[in-house]
Amino acid sequence: MLGPLEQLLRPGLAAALPPGQDLQTGPAPAPGGTASRVAVHALRLVQDDPNTPDERPSRDPAFQGWQGTLAASPEHPLDFILPDDAPGDLTEVHCPPGRVLAAGDAYLLDGRTLRFFRAPPGPVLARTRGAPCAGYQERRNSRIDLELQAWARDMSTADDLLARALAAVLATVAGLDVIDLSSAPPHLSLRLTGPRVSLAGIERNLDPDNPERLHCVAHCLIRGALETSLILGEPEPQGRINEVDVALHLPSRSPSGG
């Protein structure tokens, strides 16, 4: 489920690299016939161990909801209508993906219609939240280990490619509010909120499989809060007290006394 992060970074990488540059996502081998190659690989997602009891993740109630891409109205290209099957109230609007827009600055909500002030710069994604349901939502500090790799026949080319790729990744993540990682809606949602990227180190060596090529690697850490939402359907029925009868019993005779 780390592939969506690589695909999110790919457009910025492609724009920063020379035209026609070989660009791979995920685990990538050294290039064969091409002179150079760049690869972005999200290796692992790791949850941080809590340092204190207060940092332990807590599970909150889950809610039914909807997430998807909105289409513009043919008659009004700045109007985007929530579908009928989107339950509940609007909670987030993303444009482009990962950038949360503030209501009132970019759009106004008129009933079930989002009215934008200007043409959105990309796809418009929306999230809604409806009634409580069975399941839970959990937040925990986490990190994603990310590698940027560059292969080239000479050191100057390898360094240039790696520098371009690193600049593109830093710039892309700096503009994100959330990274969606899940691919099993609507039952499971995984996303990293408040992502922050930092450079952990750089190394370079000769490729062991092809000593004629240099291999440079930049190790990056993307930290944030991992939000896990598990949606299990209708909540379990609970017994409720519909009516309470109160009876007052008076003593049968007056108390005797001096």
Side-chain angles (χ1 to χ4, degrees):
M1 290 185 286
L2 296 176
L5 169 59
E6 297 167 347
Q7 296 304 318
L8 187 64
L9 297 174
R10 185 182 177 91
L13 284 165
L17 296 172
Q21 173 61 52
D22 181 7
L23 175 61
Q24 304 289 323
T25 56
T34 59
S36 62
R37 170 171 291 170
V38 174
V40 54
H41 179 201
L43 281 78
R44 64 184 65 88
L45 168 67
V46 180
Q47 293 187 329
D48 295 343
D49 293 327
N51 296 319
T52 64
D54 294 338
E55 294 181 0
R56 292 175 182 170
S58 60
R59 291 190 171 182
D60 298 319
F63 293 86
Q64 295 178 347
W66 176 88
Q67 177 175 335
T69 302
L70 302 181
S73 171
E75 298 81 8
H76 304 282
L78 297 183
D79 292 353
F80 294 77
I81 303 175
L82 288 169
D84 295 335
D85 60 348
D89 300 322
L90 182 70
T91 57
E92 286 183 2
V93 177
H94 295 208
C95 184
R99 173 69 64 86
V100 178
L101 301 180
D105 293 338
Y107 67 94
L108 290 176
L109 181 62
D110 183 6
R112 302 280 289 179
T113 302
L114 284 70
R115 303 190 187 279
F116 279 77
F117 301 128
R118 60 182 62 87
V124 176
L125 283 72
R127 289 171 60 95
T128 66
R129 191 174 90 163
C133 66
Y136 62 85
Q137 184 179 91
E138 181 181 281
R139 290 173 62 88
R140 185 169 178 177
N141 291 333
S142 305
R143 76 172 191 274
I144 296 175
D145 296 339
L146 185 78
E147 280 188 356
L148 296 171
Q149 302 182 73
W151 290 269
R153 294 185 182 277
D154 60 273
M155 185 56 63
S156 60
T157 301
D159 282 346
D160 178 67
L161 292 175
L162 192 64
R164 289 171 179 253
L166 179 59
V169 168
L170 295 176
T172 299
V173 177
L176 297 177
D177 300 301
V178 60
I179 298 174
D180 280 314
L181 301 172
S182 68
S183 57
H187 303 294
L188 177 66
S189 172
L190 289 177
R191 59 186 206 153
L192 195 71
T193 63
R196 307 174 307 278
V197 62
S198 60
L199 176 63
I202 295 176
E203 61 178 293
R204 60 182 185 175
N205 50 54
L206 292 175
D207 190 299
D209 298 327
N210 190 346
E212 295 182 358
R213 284 190 175 84
L214 294 161
H215 182 215
C216 297
V217 184
H219 301 276
C220 298
L221 298 177
I222 302 179
R223 298 185 180 275
L226 180 66
E227 182 181 280
T228 303
S229 298
L230 181 63
I231 308 300
L232 298 178
E234 295 294 330
E236 296 181 0
Q238 297 180 355
R240 295 184 178 180
I241 299 176
N242 294 324
E243 185 178 352
V244 176
D245 293 330
V246 178
L248 180 62
H249 298 278
L250 298 176
S252 59
R253 60 179 179 176
S254 302
S256 60

